[in-house]
Amino acid sequence: MFLILPDEVQVNESLESFLIRLYQVNGYDSYRTLAFVVRDWLYDHDNEASGAWPLVLQQANIYHANHSSAFRIRAFKLLDSLFHDASELVLSKCLLNSASFFSPRLSSVAYRNVLIPQSFLRKSNIPICPKCLRESEGIPVFWHFKPYQVCHIHECELVSHCPKCNNQLNYIVDEKISHCRCGYDLTSAEGKEVDDYESCLSKYLAGEDVNDLPQCFDMSERLGIILWFYHRYKSVPKYDPKAIIEYFSQWPNIYYDELNAISELAIDRQLKSFNHTDFKAIFGDILICCRKLPYRELNKNVILKTTINYLIQLVDKNPKNKVANLADLKLNVIEAAAILSTSIEQVYRLIEDGYLKLCIRLKRHSRLSPFQSAFYLRHVIELRQSQLPILGNQHTTYLPAW
Ligand SMILES: [Zn+2]
Ligand SMILES: [Zn+2]
């Protein structure tokens, strides 16, 4: 069996777009027809892989294959072998399952070594840029990401509905790239032009340098920052590019001001002593939500770094005193792990080895729950600053003495 490769396969073309163009250029009437032919060919070569071959385009991507994803990877590799000189072409287009998560425990998929929050993936509607489609037929993978609302090349809003029949566009359901299911030619649609400012977020997602958003080269880190922002500020219209750019143009002062206001309010309204108060009762989930975005290392997690800097200053401004102050708030294991840029397991080892002191008494034979408040903020910050081998940029694993 031999398959013709579609023209101009772009590096960032989505898997589904590639598969649609593949069935078209090889003269099949639908993806399903091609899928049956490929499956029969696979059956002769590798029974397990043929069982994992997707017959429905909407389920084609590897992250949809829960249990048999290893077999599906094998099936795509075999498909690659049908093209002349195109090693790992199909596989490189896949969104893979990933065990990594973004705080607070949000699942991710991997694409070319970039981790993408699964909540960013569009499902029912995949908007398009008509100008891009005029230039080349193929759907870039960016159009699948919810925060990507504006074409970063043409600076126009993506078109989400067909101008003729007003149906939501989804090329995967329609199995057509440049036409709506009603037959309308999408290259004649017009996307609303936007100003430079509004296209910043899309440029950031496409890997370009943008002044108003935090400087980082790693794409997973950029996605972590975007995820953190929309997760924290739920009142902001979801994926509104203006809100996030405006916010980060004032970073980090805008965040510090917000945390200062929270601290002042806590002092004004204090009911019980701060050494009997949980950190999260005052500051909410600020540590839980930036612990892993998707990295723990401070040089790759600007939100965590800024949060810790704030807490270091807070402890400095509130020295140990007879009367408890904000530096004596109580942290749980997960919050301590965030400040120490380490894993929850490592925090337990720090307790066992006597580096981290509990501020509560545990009942005999009972184990500390990760959610139980057990350390003073001051102690954890002091440990962070003590240059233990756990700390520093690269070393997030605590090395015991032996
Ligand atoms: Zn475009
Ligand atoms: Zn239509």
Side-chain angles (χ1 to χ4, degrees), residues 161-167 169 179-184 186:
H161 288 72
C162 169
K164 192 178 168 202
C165 70
N166 205 30
N167 265 321
L169 297 177
H179 287 77
C180 171
R181 80 195 72 148
C182 73
Y184 181 82
L186 294 167

Side-chain angles (χ1 to χ4, degrees), residues 128-133 135 143 148 150-156 158:
I128 54 108
C129 168
K131 288 181 183 166
C132 281
L133 286 183
E135 288 165 17
W143 296 358
Y148 189 92
V150 166
C151 171
H152 75 283
I153 302 164
H154 299 105
E155 300 193 337
C156 61
L158 297 186

